[in-house]
Protein backbone atom coordinates (compact mmCIF):
# COMPACT_ATOMS: atom_id res chain seq x y z
CA UNK A 1 0.00 0.00 0.00
CA UNK A 2 1.34 3.44 -0.95
CA UNK A 3 -0.77 6.43 -0.01
CA UNK A 4 -0.31 10.06 -1.07
CA UNK A 5 -1.58 12.98 1.02
CA UNK A 6 -4.76 13.08 -1.07
CA UNK A 7 -5.25 9.29 -0.69
CA UNK A 8 -5.03 9.73 3.09
CA UNK A 9 -7.48 12.66 2.92
CA UNK A 10 -9.82 10.50 0.82
CA UNK A 11 -9.93 7.56 3.26
CA UNK A 12 -13.22 6.92 5.02
CA UNK A 13 -13.10 8.86 8.33
CA UNK A 14 -12.92 5.82 10.68
CA UNK A 15 -10.37 4.01 8.47
CA UNK A 16 -8.17 7.13 8.39
CA UNK A 17 -8.35 7.47 12.17
CA UNK A 18 -7.53 3.76 12.64
CA UNK A 19 -4.51 3.97 10.32
CA UNK A 20 -3.07 7.24 11.59
CA UNK A 21 -3.71 6.38 15.27
CA UNK A 22 -1.69 3.19 14.84
CA UNK A 23 1.05 4.26 12.42
CA UNK A 24 3.51 5.40 15.11
CA UNK A 25 3.76 1.78 16.29
CA UNK A 26 3.92 0.83 19.98
CA UNK A 27 2.95 3.44 22.54
CA UNK A 28 3.04 3.18 26.33
CA UNK A 29 -0.20 2.33 28.15
CA UNK A 30 -0.77 4.56 31.16
CA UNK A 31 -3.60 5.47 33.47
CA UNK A 32 -3.78 9.15 34.42
CA UNK A 33 -5.29 9.71 37.88
CA UNK A 34 -6.71 13.09 38.89
CA UNK A 35 -9.19 14.63 41.33
CA UNK A 36 -11.10 17.90 41.39
CA UNK A 37 -10.72 20.34 44.31
CA UNK A 38 -13.48 18.47 46.20
CA UNK A 39 -11.38 15.29 45.99
CA UNK A 40 -13.68 13.54 43.49
CA UNK A 41 -11.42 11.14 41.54
CA UNK A 42 -11.09 10.46 37.84
CA UNK A 43 -9.04 7.96 35.84
CA UNK A 44 -8.33 7.85 32.09
CA UNK A 45 -6.17 5.67 29.85
CA UNK A 46 -3.68 7.60 27.71
CA UNK A 47 -1.13 6.47 25.15
CA UNK A 48 0.43 9.83 24.26
CA UNK A 49 3.02 9.97 27.05
CA UNK A 50 6.42 11.21 25.85
CA UNK A 51 9.73 11.94 27.54
CA UNK A 52 10.66 15.65 27.41
CA UNK A 53 13.81 15.68 29.55
CA UNK A 54 15.52 13.95 32.46
CA UNK A 55 16.82 16.90 34.47
CA UNK A 56 14.36 18.20 35.51
CA UNK A 57 12.38 14.97 34.95
CA UNK A 58 9.65 16.08 32.52
CA UNK A 59 6.97 14.08 30.70
CA UNK A 60 4.27 15.32 28.33
CA UNK A 61 0.77 14.12 27.43
CA UNK A 62 -1.29 15.13 24.41
CA UNK A 63 -4.93 15.85 25.23
CA UNK A 64 -7.68 15.81 22.65
CA UNK A 65 -9.37 19.17 21.86
CA UNK A 66 -11.46 20.36 24.83
CA UNK A 67 -14.66 21.00 22.85
CA UNK A 68 -16.16 17.99 24.70
CA UNK A 69 -15.93 17.56 28.50
CA UNK A 70 -12.35 16.66 29.43
CA UNK A 71 -12.41 15.73 33.11
CA UNK A 72 -8.72 14.82 33.33
CA UNK A 73 -7.59 18.06 31.70
CA UNK A 74 -10.01 20.14 33.83
CA UNK A 75 -8.75 18.49 37.04
CA UNK A 76 -5.09 19.00 36.11
CA UNK A 77 -5.77 22.68 35.40
CA UNK A 78 -7.69 22.98 38.68
CA UNK A 79 -5.18 21.29 41.00
CA UNK A 80 -1.87 21.13 39.08
CA UNK A 81 -1.58 17.54 40.29
CA UNK A 82 -1.91 14.17 38.53
CA UNK A 83 -0.52 10.65 38.58
CA UNK A 84 0.74 8.39 35.79
CA UNK A 85 0.44 4.64 36.35
CA UNK A 86 1.70 1.88 34.03
CA UNK A 87 -0.93 -0.57 32.78
CA UNK A 88 0.16 -4.20 33.23
CA UNK A 89 -1.31 -7.36 31.71
CA UNK A 90 -3.55 -8.01 34.74
CA UNK A 91 -5.51 -4.75 34.48
CA UNK A 92 -5.95 -4.23 30.72
CA UNK A 93 -9.74 -4.74 30.73
CA UNK A 94 -10.31 -2.25 33.54
CA UNK A 95 -7.77 0.20 32.12
CA UNK A 96 -9.42 0.18 28.69
CA UNK A 97 -12.87 0.70 30.22
CA UNK A 98 -11.70 4.05 31.72
CA UNK A 99 -11.91 5.46 28.16
CA UNK A 100 -15.71 5.26 28.34
CA UNK A 101 -17.44 8.64 28.66
CA UNK A 102 -18.67 8.47 32.23
CA UNK A 103 -20.40 11.57 33.60
CA UNK A 104 -18.24 13.82 35.82
CA UNK A 105 -19.88 12.52 39.03
CA UNK A 106 -18.88 8.91 38.27
CA UNK A 107 -15.33 7.92 39.20
CA UNK A 108 -13.70 5.52 36.75
CA UNK A 109 -12.05 3.88 39.79
CA UNK A 110 -15.46 2.81 41.14
CA UNK A 111 -16.78 2.02 37.65
CA UNK A 112 -13.87 -0.29 36.74
CA UNK A 113 -12.93 -1.77 40.13
CA UNK A 114 -9.43 -0.24 40.20
CA UNK A 115 -8.29 0.96 43.63
CA UNK A 116 -7.46 4.55 44.58
CA UNK A 117 -4.18 5.00 46.45
CA UNK A 118 -3.62 8.39 48.07
CA UNK A 119 -0.17 9.57 49.11
CA UNK A 120 0.79 12.64 51.15
CA UNK A 121 1.85 15.54 48.95
CA UNK A 122 -0.15 14.43 45.88
CA UNK A 123 -3.73 15.70 45.56
CA UNK A 124 -4.46 13.08 42.89
CA UNK A 125 -4.96 9.32 43.37
CA UNK A 126 -2.54 6.65 42.19
CA UNK A 127 -3.68 3.25 40.94
CA UNK A 128 -2.93 0.73 43.72
CA UNK A 129 -2.75 -2.19 41.24
CA UNK A 130 -0.04 -0.51 39.10
CA UNK A 131 3.60 -1.55 39.64
CA UNK A 132 5.02 1.73 38.30
CA UNK A 133 3.49 4.93 39.70
CA UNK A 134 4.53 8.53 39.15
CA UNK A 135 3.32 11.59 41.02
CA UNK A 136 3.23 14.60 38.69
CA UNK A 137 3.09 18.40 39.09
CA UNK A 138 1.87 20.48 36.16
CA UNK A 139 4.64 22.69 34.73
CA UNK A 140 3.26 23.96 31.41
CA UNK A 141 0.30 23.65 29.04
CA UNK A 142 0.74 24.45 25.37
CA UNK A 143 -2.34 24.70 23.16
CA UNK A 144 -1.39 23.32 19.74
CA UNK A 145 -3.08 25.66 17.26
CA UNK A 146 -2.68 23.23 14.38
CA UNK A 147 -5.50 20.96 15.63
CA UNK A 148 -6.78 22.21 18.99
CA UNK A 149 -4.99 19.57 21.08
CA UNK A 150 -3.07 20.45 24.25
CA UNK A 151 0.46 19.45 25.23
CA UNK A 152 0.56 19.14 29.00
CA UNK A 153 4.03 19.03 30.52
CA UNK A 154 4.57 17.83 34.07
CA UNK A 155 7.47 17.14 36.41
CA UNK A 156 7.86 13.77 38.13
CA UNK A 157 7.79 14.64 41.85
CA UNK A 158 7.55 11.08 43.16
CA UNK A 159 8.30 7.69 41.69
CA UNK A 160 7.46 4.17 42.89
CA UNK A 161 8.91 1.22 41.02
CA UNK A 162 9.89 -2.32 42.12
CA UNK A 163 13.68 -2.46 42.73
CA UNK A 164 13.89 -5.80 40.83
CA UNK A 165 12.75 -4.01 37.66
CA UNK A 166 15.73 -1.61 37.66
CA UNK A 167 18.79 -2.86 35.74
CA UNK A 168 22.47 -2.37 36.66
CA UNK A 169 22.59 0.94 34.72
CA UNK A 170 19.61 2.27 36.66
CA UNK A 171 17.02 1.96 33.87
CA UNK A 172 13.54 0.49 34.20
CA UNK A 173 12.97 -2.81 32.36
CA UNK A 174 9.24 -2.54 31.49
CA UNK A 175 9.08 -6.27 30.70
CA UNK A 176 9.87 -6.98 34.39
CA UNK A 177 6.85 -4.91 35.48
CA UNK A 178 4.71 -6.63 32.83
CA UNK A 179 3.91 -3.16 31.42
CA UNK A 180 1.90 -3.27 28.20
CA UNK A 181 2.11 -1.32 24.94
CA UNK A 182 -0.75 0.00 22.81
CA UNK A 183 -1.27 0.28 19.08
CA UNK A 184 -4.04 2.57 17.92
CA UNK A 185 -6.93 2.74 20.37
CA UNK A 186 -7.78 -0.94 20.78
CA UNK A 187 -4.72 -3.24 20.60
CA UNK A 188 -2.65 -4.16 23.65
CA UNK A 189 0.74 -5.90 23.46
CA UNK A 190 2.85 -7.74 26.03
CA UNK A 191 6.49 -6.71 26.23
CA UNK A 192 9.64 -8.80 26.16
CA UNK A 193 13.24 -7.64 25.92
CA UNK A 194 14.86 -8.39 22.55
CA UNK A 195 18.44 -7.22 23.24
CA UNK A 196 20.40 -4.44 24.91
CA UNK A 197 23.05 -2.37 23.15
CA UNK A 198 26.13 -0.49 24.36
CA UNK A 199 26.36 3.30 23.85
CA UNK A 200 26.84 3.91 20.12
CA UNK A 201 30.02 5.71 18.99
CA UNK A 202 31.35 6.49 15.48
CA UNK A 203 34.04 3.99 14.46
CA UNK A 204 32.93 1.43 17.05
CA UNK A 205 30.98 -1.63 15.89
CA UNK A 206 27.52 -2.10 17.44
CA UNK A 207 28.03 -4.06 20.63
CA UNK A 208 25.50 -6.02 22.65
CA UNK A 209 25.47 -5.71 26.41
C1 LIG B 1 -5.92 3.14 24.14
C2 LIG B 1 -6.40 4.55 24.37
C3 LIG B 1 -5.49 5.60 24.43
C4 LIG B 1 -5.92 6.92 24.65
N1 LIG B 1 -4.99 7.94 24.71
C5 LIG B 1 -5.43 9.22 24.88
C6 LIG B 1 -4.50 10.28 24.90
O1 LIG B 1 -3.30 10.10 24.79
N2 LIG B 1 -5.00 11.55 25.04
C7 LIG B 1 -6.36 11.81 25.19
O2 LIG B 1 -6.74 12.98 25.32
N3 LIG B 1 -7.24 10.79 25.19
C8 LIG B 1 -6.81 9.52 25.04
N4 LIG B 1 -7.71 8.50 25.03
C9 LIG B 1 -9.13 8.81 25.29
C10 LIG B 1 -9.44 8.97 26.76
O3 LIG B 1 -9.08 7.82 27.51
C11 LIG B 1 -10.96 9.22 26.90
O4 LIG B 1 -11.31 10.39 26.17
C12 LIG B 1 -11.41 9.35 28.33
O5 LIG B 1 -12.82 9.28 28.33
C13 LIG B 1 -11.01 10.68 28.95
O6 LIG B 1 -11.63 10.71 30.20
P1 LIG B 1 -11.92 12.08 30.97
O7 LIG B 1 -12.98 12.85 30.23
O8 LIG B 1 -12.41 11.56 32.29
O9 LIG B 1 -10.66 12.83 31.06
C14 LIG B 1 -7.30 7.19 24.81
C15 LIG B 1 -8.23 6.12 24.74
C16 LIG B 1 -7.78 4.82 24.53
C17 LIG B 1 -8.79 3.69 24.46
Amino acid sequence: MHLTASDIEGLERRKRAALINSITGYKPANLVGTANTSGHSNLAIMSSLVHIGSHPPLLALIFRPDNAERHTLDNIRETGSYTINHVHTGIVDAAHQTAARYPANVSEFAATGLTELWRDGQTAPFVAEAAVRMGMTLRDELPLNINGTHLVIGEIVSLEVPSEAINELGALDPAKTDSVAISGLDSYYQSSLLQRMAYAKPGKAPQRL
Side-chain angles (χ1 to χ4, degrees), residues 42 44-48 62-64 71-72 99 108 182 185:
N42 190 92
I45 189 161
M46 301 227 163
S47 58
S48 58
I62 301 270
F63 283 83
R64 292 173 178 180
H71 305 138
T72 305
E108 288 81 2
I182 297 178
L185 290 172

Side-chain angles (χ1 to χ4, degrees), residues 74-138:
D74 289 347
N75 290 345
I76 293 175
R77 286 173 175 157
E78 217 172 290
T79 65
S81 174
Y82 56 110
T83 70
I84 298 178
N85 308 266
H86 279 206
V87 176
H88 61 73
T89 54
I91 59 170
V92 170
D93 291 2
H96 184 76
Q97 186 61 24
T98 66
R101 281 216 192 126
Y102 293 101
N105 63 341
V106 174
S107 167
E108 288 81 2
F109 281 97
T112 64
L114 291 167
T115 314
E116 293 177 22
L117 175 70
W118 295 85
R119 295 265 193 242
D120 286 346
Q122 198 76 45
T123 58
F126 295 86
V127 176
E129 289 83 358
V132 180
R133 300 189 281 252
M134 290 167 268
M136 305 295 298
T137 294
L138 176 65

Side-chain angles (χ1 to χ4, degrees), residues 14-172:
R14 275 164 301 187
K15 290 260 168 63
R16 183 174 55 238
L19 180 60
I20 304 304
N21 273 328
S22 59
I23 206 67
T24 56
Y26 299 119
K27 298 178 282 186
N30 283 287
L31 285 163
V32 179
T34 56
N36 65 15
T37 42
S38 317
H40 180 76
S41 63
N42 190 92
L43 192 64
I45 189 161
M46 301 227 163
S47 58
S48 58
L49 187 68
V50 288
H51 166 93
I52 298 287
S54 302
H55 193 222
L58 299 175
L59 304 178
L61 287 162
I62 301 270
F63 283 83
R64 292 173 178 180
D66 53 355
N67 39 22
E69 277 186 45
R70 297 276 168 236
H71 305 138
T72 305
L73 187 54
D74 289 347
N75 290 345
I76 293 175
R77 286 173 175 157
E78 217 172 290
T79 65
S81 174
Y82 56 110
T83 70
I84 298 178
N85 308 266
H86 279 206
V87 176
H88 61 73
T89 54
I91 59 170
V92 170
D93 291 2
H96 184 76
Q97 186 61 24
T98 66
R101 281 216 192 126
Y102 293 101
N105 63 341
V106 174
S107 167
E108 288 81 2
F109 281 97
T112 64
L114 291 167
T115 314
E116 293 177 22
L117 175 70
W118 295 85
R119 295 265 193 242
D120 286 346
Q122 198 76 45
T123 58
F126 295 86
V127 176
E129 289 83 358
V132 180
R133 300 189 281 252
M134 290 167 268
M136 305 295 298
T137 294
L138 176 65
R139 290 291 179 229
D140 207 354
E141 182 191 335
L142 306 171
L144 303 182
N145 295 328
I146 192 155
N147 64 355
T149 54
H150 299 259
L151 185 76
V152 169
I153 300 177
E155 180 170 347
I156 303 173
V157 291
S158 74
L159 183 53
E160 286 179 272
V161 48
S163 310
E164 320 82 75
I166 301 296
N167 70 22
E168 80 290 353
L169 294 183
L172 169 70

